[in-house]
Amino acid sequence: MRPPANAALLTALAAMVAACQTQAPATGPNRAALPTMERVALGANACWFKSGDPAFAAYKLAPELNSFSGRPRILLVHKGSPESRPLLVVQAEGSPSRLQAFGPMMQEPVAGRITTDVNRWSGGNKACS
């Protein structure tokens, strides 16, 4: 038994409409300030501190992610005096977040590596340098 012509036409039309539908865009990491800084803090902890990286051995990570100012941040301080002035501040603000890194460490040779690592981690890549 042959299906009616209308059924074949409707099937063809449905296939054409389905082919024209746009695909959902690929989702990436959440670009708001807090999720961005959470990724950066996890990366810094894993790659700079837990790995025993000698470039960061004299420092301690002090995350301040619960910021009421809307600028979650991480600080690097001297290991022996965590109450002292931070040597590095990395913070984010807004959505999508705008990152800033500043402090005395950004004037040292390790500054390029800090920038590269922070940018990589903020984008969702968990790799260490």
Side-chain angles (χ1 to χ4, degrees):
M1 177 171 221
R2 188 173 163 228
N6 285 345
L9 181 61
L10 286 175
T11 302
L13 184 60
M16 288 175 29
V17 169
C20 292
Q21 298 295 317
T22 58
Q23 298 295 322
T27 59
N30 186 333
R31 299 285 182 193
L34 180 58
T36 297
M37 285 310 301
E38 287 171 342
R39 288 190 298 275
V40 171
L42 289 171
N45 189 44
C47 297
W48 293 348
F49 296 99
K50 286 191 175 182
S51 70
D53 189 319
F56 297 92
Y59 309 108
K60 179 179 177 181
L61 180 66
E64 294 183 349
L65 300 176
N66 294 328
S67 168
F68 295 107
S69 69
R71 284 186 228 126
R73 63 188 189 166
I74 62 168
L75 311 173
L76 266 63
V77 296
H78 281 289
K79 191 181 268 185
S81 57
E83 71 286 345
S84 65
R85 180 172 286 174
L87 300 169
L88 175 68
V89 177
V90 180
Q91 68 182 20
E93 182 176 15
S95 182
S97 63
R98 292 172 305 283
L99 286 166
Q100 293 179 310
F102 54 91
M105 288 184 77
M106 294 307 290
Q107 305 306 316
E108 296 178 11
V110 75
R113 178 168 166 214
I114 290 169
T115 300
T116 301
D117 287 346
V118 167
N119 286 332
R120 182 176 53 254
W121 299 327
S122 70
N125 186 332
K126 297 177 183 179
C128 298
S129 56

